[in-house]
Amino acid sequence: MSVYKAGLWLFLANITAQLGGYVFWFIAAASVRASALGEVAYTVTIATILTTLATLGVPTAMMRLLPASSNQRYAQGAMAHALVAATATAAIALWKPSIAILAVTGVIANYYTAYFQAKLDTKPIFNATLAGQAARIALAPILAPYGPDALATTYAIPGLLIALYGVVRSSVSPKPFGLRELIKAGISVWLPNAIAMLGTNLGVVTAYNLAQPEEAGYVYIAQVLANAAIAPTIIITGVLLPYLSSLAEREGVAKKANKLALAMSTPLAAVLILGGRHILALLGPQYTEAADALAVYATANTLLLTVTVLSSLVYSQGKYRHVLIGGLASNAARVLLYILMGTSDIGVAASFLIGTVIALAYYSAIAKNVAKSAAILTPRLVAIAMPAAATSAIGILLAIPGIAISYALAVKMKIVTRREIGEIAQQVLPNPLYTKIAPLGAKILDILD
């Protein structure tokens, strides 16, 4: 499977998860109070924290070592670690069954997701996500009367399916091979990622404990919606780490990946920044309170794309110490600021943004050439965002042609070239479909030229 096609399946899985999450939240918002949604967000967040802490970064290390060495036994060692981590997580989380279910499922699902990504075989991730989100949506109105814990437990369904799918599709058995190397490589990225996870998710926990459950719900909804701005870029970034790890010349690929990812996400981020209030109103008038936080998160996520590309480049080069320092510096700042500013959703979002800026500054100093290319691109990115921003401020429907104009400008201004569009289309589309679409696409591009 090609890199772009592998990324496409991840993108479709991400979009499916986003859409499923939105529909789930629409149903839940209509069925329970905002404070109950805050309870759900709190439960899911605690489980996410436990899951990430338990992995020790081993799934990410497997994505680095398996493609670089072609030694399948790294997958066996990673599975052995996953089983031990899942057992330990279950013991820790027994005080609340819903958290235990989510955390254990998350640990196992993380392993299989990383395994399929390392093999560039990402279609199973999409299949599991599609079936899991459909099940969540169907169960939401049924489980709503049973309280927040019942609703929260539905988050385990996609992970459970990817785990079951992994058992069936892969022939990997747990063996303690390469654990020292896996953990060594994993720790270097796990510690900053763990801090990053805390930096992202402790906002919900802080808002829940320092303010009201409603504030935790607003923070969570703002985070979920803001992720829509960067969802399409998973075509580019989803398998970037294992791909870079298999290359000798990495900087050129990183520059291209960053450029394409920003071109995809910037118009969508502009819609959320200026039109987010209209989108939130669909959930209910009370949710427009999260509009400012949504704008800040959308801004942070756009910057985070470049951070992701730069950190993936640095990690693929084996510079683990720099990944550790960058992750610690940026996310420790987030956690500290949550404590100081966590009494409101906008305070939590601002804390996240500041941490992102710190990470961007640090990795830019390490990967100067790629960072410089991103800086040169910035004025053109601002220009293409204008149509999407202006139309979304008026209404949701008008945002659609605004986004189309923004993407047309990306081609017109040579941010994305015809060759790059053709390359992506040829790899992600089935050949019969590509053959039919290519002539029409060429005519449209001729007009833009």
Side-chain angles (χ1 to χ4, degrees), residues 271-324:
V271 169
L272 294 176
I273 291 169
L274 290 184
R277 188 172 300 275
H278 301 300
I279 299 172
L280 287 165
L282 297 175
L283 291 172
Q286 70 273 29
Y287 292 106
T288 57
E289 293 289 333
D292 291 338
L294 174 58
V296 175
Y297 272 120
T299 302
N301 279 355
T302 305
L303 298 177
L304 196 59
L305 282 175
T306 299
V307 173
T308 300
V309 172
L310 294 177
S311 62
S312 295
L313 172 63
V314 172
Y315 188 69
S316 70
Q317 294 170 332
K319 298 176 182 178
Y320 303 148
R321 181 173 61 87
H322 288 301
V323 176
L324 175 61

Side-chain angles (χ1 to χ4, degrees), residues 66-310:
L66 184 57
S69 66
S70 299
N71 192 334
Q72 297 299 311
R73 291 195 292 174
Y74 282 118
Q76 296 176 323
M79 176 181 277
H81 175 270
L83 294 177
V84 173
T87 302
T89 302
I92 293 171
L94 283 178
W95 58 278
K96 190 168 186 178
S98 59
I99 291 178
I101 292 171
L102 292 175
V104 171
T105 305
V107 170
I108 301 300
N110 273 359
Y111 164 76
Y112 279 110
T113 299
Y115 173 78
F116 285 125
Q117 286 182 250
K119 303 288 287 184
L120 299 185
D121 180 19
T122 52
K123 188 176 180 179
I125 300 173
F126 167 73
N127 291 336
T129 302
L130 179 62
Q133 291 300 329
R136 289 187 66 219
I137 292 168
L139 288 172
I142 299 172
L143 296 178
Y146 296 95
D149 282 343
L151 281 174
T153 304
T154 64
Y155 275 80
I157 297 174
L160 178 62
L161 291 178
I162 189 64
L164 292 175
Y165 212 167
V167 170
V168 173
R169 283 288 301 269
S170 70
S171 57
V172 179
S173 57
K175 293 182 180 178
F177 172 82
L179 282 175
R180 178 176 296 180
E181 190 175 0
L182 283 164
I183 292 175
K184 179 182 177 181
I187 286 288
S188 65
V189 73
W190 166 81
L191 186 53
N193 280 349
I195 302 292
M197 176 273 306
L198 293 173
T200 300
N201 292 286
L202 277 182
V204 172
V205 177
T206 304
Y208 182 89
N209 287 285
L210 296 184
Q212 300 292 330
E214 288 87 347
E215 290 293 330
Y218 295 152
V219 169
Y220 193 75
I221 288 171
Q223 288 177 335
V224 169
L225 289 177
N227 287 337
I230 59 174
T233 65
I234 203 166
I235 292 177
I236 308 299
T237 62
V239 290
L240 183 60
L241 174 58
Y243 184 55
L244 287 175
S245 297
S246 65
L247 299 176
E249 169 51 44
R250 301 182 176 99
E251 280 199 357
V253 174
K255 289 178 182 179
K256 183 177 179 180
N258 187 58
K259 180 186 69 171
L260 294 176
L262 289 173
M264 284 183 181
S265 67
T266 300
L268 299 178
V271 169
L272 294 176
I273 291 169
L274 290 184
R277 188 172 300 275
H278 301 300
I279 299 172
L280 287 165
L282 297 175
L283 291 172
Q286 70 273 29
Y287 292 106
T288 57
E289 293 289 333
D292 291 338
L294 174 58
V296 175
Y297 272 120
T299 302
N301 279 355
T302 305
L303 298 177
L304 196 59
L305 282 175
T306 299
V307 173
T308 300
V309 172
L310 294 177

